[in-house]
């Protein structure tokens, strides 16, 4: 299986385990910025950790603070290895842009429809710099 994702924030190729969330998440109050753990008590993936994973987001629950949480995750070394978003979230992406401006290693971000994210759950995948996704 090969999928093509749209590049939202470019970066190097990445390989890793994919954590495909089954519900939208708010980074503010939903993810611990110090550890990367999903802490929202109502989220289906509560207790799982996004650090170092390729994180597939079927949606986000907005808060302007999401960019700050993602920035903290990058700074703490607990950010996802890459983001796959159903729809671009400008607030969330802002955290990555600021991290990049600070000179911190920043994960790439891509747009991939939620319908294509599910089959990637808990699989080891590779995303090329051009957005080609393959199961490793």
């Amino acid at each position: 299986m090969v999928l093509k994702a749209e590049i939202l924030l470019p970066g190097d190729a990445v390989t890793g385990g994919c954590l495909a969330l089954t519900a939208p998440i708010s980074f503010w109050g939903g993810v611990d910025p110090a550890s990367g753990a999903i802490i929202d008590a109502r989220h289906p993936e509560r207790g799982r950790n996004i650090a170092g994973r390729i994180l597939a987001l079927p949606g986000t629950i907005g808060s302007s603070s999401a960019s700050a949480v993602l920035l903290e995750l990058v700074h703490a070394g607990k950010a996802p290895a890459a983001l796959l978003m159903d729809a671009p979230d400008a607030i969330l992406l802002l955290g990555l842009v600021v991290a990049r401006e600070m000179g911190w290693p920043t994960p790439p971000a891509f747009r991939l429809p939620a319908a294509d994210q599910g089959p990637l759950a808990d699989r080891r995948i590779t995303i090329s710099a051009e957005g080609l996704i393959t199961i490793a």
Side-chain angles (χ1 to χ4, degrees):
M1 172 196 315
V2 177
L3 299 169
K4 174 71 170 141
E6 175 187 349
I7 299 168
L8 300 174
L9 190 68
D12 294 332
V14 62
T15 297
C18 182
L19 175 56
L21 301 184
T22 59
I25 194 165
S26 171
F27 274 65
W28 179 255
V31 177
D32 177 13
S35 69
I38 296 174
I39 57 173
D40 181 344
R42 296 173 305 231
H43 198 277
E45 281 76 41
R46 181 176 186 257
R48 306 239 4 223
N49 198 299
I50 68 171
R53 306 289 304 273
I54 295 172
L55 182 63
L57 298 162
T60 54
I61 300 170
S63 168
S64 58
S65 302
S67 57
V69 173
L70 189 52
L71 180 63
E72 287 184 57
L73 286 162
V74 170
H75 185 253
K78 300 298 181 179
L83 295 176
L84 295 173
M85 301 178 171
D86 177 60
D89 181 324
I91 299 290
L92 199 56
L93 290 170
L94 178 61
L96 296 180
V97 170
V98 171
R100 190 167 280 182
E101 288 298 312
M102 299 289 289
W104 300 337
T106 306
F110 303 89
R111 183 188 171 283
L112 184 71
D116 292 336
Q117 295 176 9
L120 303 177
D122 298 316
R123 307 286 300 267
R124 186 167 173 79
I125 64 173
T126 296
I127 307 173
S128 73
E130 297 77 32
L132 292 177
I133 301 170
T134 55
I135 295 176

